[in-house]
Amino acid sequence: MSDTKVLRLVKRSESGNLPETAFTAKTVAKTEPKPVAAPAPALKPAPAPARQPKQKERPRLSRAEMLKLYRTMYLSRRLDDKEIQMKGQNRIFFQISGAGHEAILVAAGMCLKPGYDWFYPYYRDRALCLQLGMTPLEQLLQSVGAEADPASHGRQMPSHWGHKKLNIVSQSSPTGTQLLQAVGCAEAGYRAKLIKELKKRVKNFRNDEVVYVSLGDGTSSEGEFWEALNTACNLKLPVVFLCEDNGYAISVPVEVQTAGGDVSKLVRGFPNLFIQRCDGTDALESLAVMRRAVDNCRKNRGPSFVHAKVIRPYSHSLSDDERLYRADEERASDAEHDPIKRFGALLTKEGVIDQEGLQKLKDEVAREVNEAADQALASPQPAAETATAFVYSPVVDPTSKEFDTEENVQLSGNPGTMVDLINRGLHTEMKRDPRIVVFGEDVADCSREESLEKVKGKGGVFKVTANLQREFGSARVFNSPLAEANIVGRAIGMAARGLKPVVEIQFFDYIWPAMHQIRNELALMRWRSGNEFSAPVVMRVPVGGYLKGGAVYHSQSGVSLFTQIPGLRVVYPSTALDANGLLRTSIRCDDPVLFLEHKHLYRQAYNKSPYPPDDFMIPFGKAKTVRAGTDISIITYGALVQRSFVAAKKAEQQGVNVEIIDLRTMSPYDWDAIAESVKKTSRAIVAHEDSLSFGYGAEIAARISSELFEYLDAPVRRVAALDTFVAYAPQLEDAILPQVADVLEAIVEVSSY
Ligand SMILES: Cc1ncc(C[n+]2csc(CCOP(=O)(O)OP(=O)(O)O)c2C)c(N)n1
Ligand SMILES: [Mg+2]
């Protein structure tokens, strides 16, 4: 059996050269597998990549340093093995190992400074965390789900790293979400250098700080990876990207995943990117490469990208059996490249330590791991009643009196529109707090500063951010790429450093690329880290229809998808004044907020208001009784407030006295106001612009039915859009979205029940 035939199993280039992933070559040749047909020609192999000349330089390490390097690698593996044993005994509940990745990770840790640099690792990075100073006990506390686990306090799976003191930011399970956050984290430092007042306010800011972020080969397929590289290179941020390429993403091999099978070739076109490749199972080569990569960032030359080939000697996780998709010979060849075996052999060959000494070291590590495991197992799990702790900030309560300056508010000036009053709110808050940065698509006045004085300025497609750049400078108000995940992901990273990003998603209809960051990251950061980290970002989002011509993709309002997310505040003002007060509360509170601005309400005469003072705030969860009545309660928000108001006036002529409650914030919402009103009127309608089924009204109606049943004289009625999309033709749009006549019809129906 020739080498080449067998290697087709792995991958062959057109010219017959081995791909650089093929650690397997020699080993595979020794075995005698059955002849296998060439792989299906679905993927055309890329032309053979030119081999890079191998860097021969070898870092000079003392004996103690060599032994320490080995010890940390071995400790990492031992911890994985211990976890595997404990999982088998049902004493832990999940296991995913860092086996095969240890050499490059200890090397990375040796080049970076814990508590000084910042870290966004992924689940294979056990050895990195150990090298940075995380203890075996700290790691095992997470495995057993202990309250004392410093990363998540018993809330996340093992190997979901986090350590406040070491600047390891809480990590999650979704592959790749860490990348844009790492960019945002580095960007906080970048902006601190540009904005004098920020320097003291960015958490642990250092002039030469570096941000580390890692990913697997499969994760490089995620769009956010490319978005992260784009921004890191564009801003020349000091981010070290480490791609730990073990050739597989669970069962999918790299050549299926990546065009040409080699991600570092694909990233070559990025400007300012320092690209390094290495055998990540060779500890000394890894160290040399990581030093160059980190050094490049530290000297502020821009981002570095390290492509480290590693192995995955165990299955993807304990829930996976790689024998189902990897041939024995391929697995055997991985074993030949085991980094621990290789480095151990080098140490004995070079006389750094003898076999006996090595064994002693291993025994000592085994003892340490066993002791840590015993201690972890004795550590209690979190009490059941803590389940909802830290969904929101435990310190800043935006529903409290502190955030209420509504009473007797002194208004001044000519009435302004909702756009005017939001814009004023942004100006006054940015003046007050230098940590606020505003970015998004088209939010700047003019990105090309040299033209700023020659033009009027854009300031947002709805002009809500007009003149912010002019007043506060381009370092605080700037345009993002046209990429919504980029906006929210970066904002989360900046918030981790203490900035206060107030970002704009241009249209609610296009929030979906950011949904992953919102649902899995933004809203979860505090809870999943047990309050170690948080992401108090404000997302301003124009929403809604009634635009005549807004059609399917400029009229959406699927808000219940967001109110269903714990940890996220959802605000939806219907007047200019409310928008101003609620925006201020959104900015000053310590939770992530989705701040919805109805496009149709932006410039209506009926919701204008003179200007409130600069400390005007409306607390969350405080509804407004827009119209007092005795016969029926309409619970509503957004564009349906005015429609309900007009319907109520018409109903009055028919002798029905309607009360209207504008919720103003949807999560939290003012249940007390609803209950008080329904107890008085005994009849309720929930009216909203969003479609009927599974909507926000269903939740409110269900709660009224279950908690106020005894007070009701009629079934709770919902008024909502049809269960379809908003059409372009005005006649169709009118039929789809709820109108005054629909509200009036519901009033008549419910009041006469
Ligand atoms: C967004 C997302 N999709 C799918 C998964 C399920 N998943 C977990 S790990 C993984 C493979 C990751 O492969 P790679 O990036 O190469 O890292 P490796 O595990 O090989 O180190 C997949 C598909 C996930 N966690 N997140
Ligand atoms: Mg992989």
Side-chain angles (χ1 to χ4, degrees), residues 23 55 59 255 276 409 466 510 517 593 601 632 696 718 726 732:
F23 286 137
Q55 306 269 359
E255 72 275 14
Q276 293 282 288
V409 62
Y510 310 124
Q517 285 288 344
V593 180
L601 301 182
I632 188 163
Y696 191 76
R718 287 175 288 162
V726 180
L732 215 45

Side-chain angles (χ1 to χ4, degrees), residues 80-371:
D80 276 325
D81 290 339
K82 185 71 195 176
E83 277 191 357
I84 289 165
Q85 183 196 46
M86 288 160 84
K87 172 76 171 67
Q89 297 164 339
N90 234 352
R91 296 158 100 188
I92 70 167
F93 322 104
F94 181 74
Q95 209 281 331
I96 189 155
S97 89
H101 293 224
E102 295 94 341
I104 184 70
L105 289 167
V106 177
M110 287 169 75
C111 303
L112 292 155
K113 304 184 206 174
Y116 184 108
D117 295 321
W118 288 78
F119 301 89
Y120 286 79
Y122 86 114
Y123 49 80
R124 302 269 182 230
D125 287 15
R126 181 190 295 289
L128 170 92
C129 294
L130 289 169
Q131 177 63 32
L132 293 177
M134 208 171 175
T135 66
L137 173 61
E138 286 176 325
Q139 297 199 342
L140 291 171
L141 283 170
Q142 189 171 45
S143 325
V144 300
E147 209 285 322
D149 147 38
S152 74
H153 300 277
R155 289 176 167 185
Q156 288 214 81
M157 289 171 149
S159 298
H160 284 51
W161 315 111
H163 201 293
K164 199 168 182 171
K165 225 176 87 204
L166 301 173
N167 288 354
I168 303 173
V169 181
S170 165
Q171 289 306 290
S172 61
S173 297
T175 52
T177 43
Q178 71 277 19
L179 292 150
L180 283 163
Q181 295 172 23
V183 167
C185 177
E187 194 176 339
Y190 163 86
R191 299 204 179 273
K193 286 182 194 166
L194 298 172
I195 307 161
K196 217 174 79 217
E197 314 90 284
L198 252 193
K199 261 193 185 158
K200 287 186 283 327
R201 290 179 166 90
V202 168
K203 269 181 209 155
N204 301 338
F205 170 69
R206 319 282 180 149
N207 245 325
D208 64 345
E209 65 187 31
V210 173
V211 177
Y212 163 97
V213 65
S214 60
L215 68 152
D217 46 291
T219 298
S220 70
S221 298
E222 292 281 3
E224 291 190 15
F225 166 68
W226 301 93
E227 291 184 25
L229 277 177
N230 183 36
T231 298
C233 292
N234 214 8
L235 300 181
K236 288 182 75 177
L237 299 175
V239 181
V240 177
F241 292 86
L242 171 60
C243 179
E244 301 168 34
D245 180 354
N246 57 21
Y248 277 91
I250 307 186
S251 70
V252 183
V254 67
E255 72 275 14
V256 173
Q257 194 76 239
T258 303
D262 186 338
V263 68
S264 45
K265 290 217 166 60
L266 299 188
V267 302
R268 273 186 195 161
F270 279 103
N272 309 317
L273 187 63
F274 179 66
I275 301 172
Q276 293 282 288
R277 300 153 65 98
C278 69
D279 176 351
T281 65
D282 180 325
L284 297 179
E285 184 184 329
S286 295
L287 186 57
V289 161
M290 281 311 303
R291 274 187 181 165
R292 283 197 292 274
V294 171
D295 194 46
N296 174 65
C297 289
R298 223 173 287 283
K299 292 189 172 138
N300 273 313
R301 294 195 193 109
S304 301
F305 183 87
V306 177
H307 184 185
K309 301 286 173 56
V310 293
I311 56 160
R312 198 191 72 184
Y314 299 167
S315 290
H316 169 73
S317 73
L318 272 196
S319 313
D320 172 48
D321 180 357
E322 67 173 4
R323 288 170 303 186
L324 298 174
Y325 53 86
R326 285 184 92 180
D328 286 347
E329 54 273 22
E330 194 186 315
R331 295 168 52 235
S333 81
D334 257 17
E336 290 301 308
H337 285 83
D338 189 304
I340 295 175
K341 226 156 105 182
R342 289 180 73 186
F343 197 52
L346 183 122
L347 291 181
T348 50
K349 186 172 143 227
E350 297 195 351
V352 179
I353 194 167
D354 59 17
Q355 281 300 345
E356 199 184 326
L358 200 63
Q359 193 53 48
K360 228 174 106 195
L361 183 153
K362 288 180 177 177
D363 293 345
E364 192 188 291
V365 169
R367 242 190 334 274
E368 185 186 346
V369 168
N370 285 337
E371 276 169 25

Side-chain angles (χ1 to χ4, degrees), residues 481-641:
L482 204 174
E484 289 73 14
N486 178 297
I487 297 169
V488 177
R490 277 161 73 193
I492 295 170
M494 290 183 206
R497 303 294 303 278
L499 292 195
K500 184 83 203 186
V502 180
V503 302
E504 177 176 303
I505 300 291
Q506 197 162 73
F507 292 90
F508 183 87
D509 312 64
Y510 310 124
I511 199 168
W512 313 118
M515 194 60 169
H516 195 34
Q517 285 288 344
I518 295 169
R519 177 67 181 83
N520 283 333
E521 300 293 326
L522 182 77
L524 264 159
M525 185 63 88
R526 191 188 293 279
W527 186 88
R528 78 169 185 229
S529 67
N531 203 34
E532 299 288 342
F533 293 92
S534 63
V537 171
V538 179
M539 299 175 292
R540 294 184 32 256
V541 188
V543 68
Y546 299 105
L547 303 176
K548 282 240 174 330
V552 194
Y553 298 108
H554 295 83
S555 305
Q556 293 177 19
S557 56
V559 177
S560 55
L561 288 165
F562 294 89
T563 51
Q564 216 263 340
I565 302 175
L568 185 66
R569 309 283 192 182
V570 181
V571 178
Y572 204 147
S574 73
T575 70
L577 187 63
D578 286 354
N580 181 286
L582 287 167
L583 178 66
R584 199 164 279 108
T585 303
S586 302
I587 291 173
R588 296 189 190 185
C589 93
D590 207 22
D591 299 315
V593 180
L594 180 68
F595 188 86
L596 297 160
E597 302 170 3
H598 201 294
K599 302 187 287 286
H600 174 75
L601 301 182
Y602 262 155
R603 292 186 172 87
Q604 296 296 337
Y606 57 72
N607 67 24
K608 280 177 151 188
S609 167
Y611 291 77
D614 294 352
D615 63 350
F616 177 59
M617 283 183 287
I618 299 171
F620 293 169
K622 185 184 172 199
K624 184 162 75 183
T625 305
V626 174
R627 186 181 199 275
T630 50
D631 299 338
I632 188 163
S633 307
I634 299 184
I635 296 109
T636 187
Y637 57 86
L640 261 289
V641 175

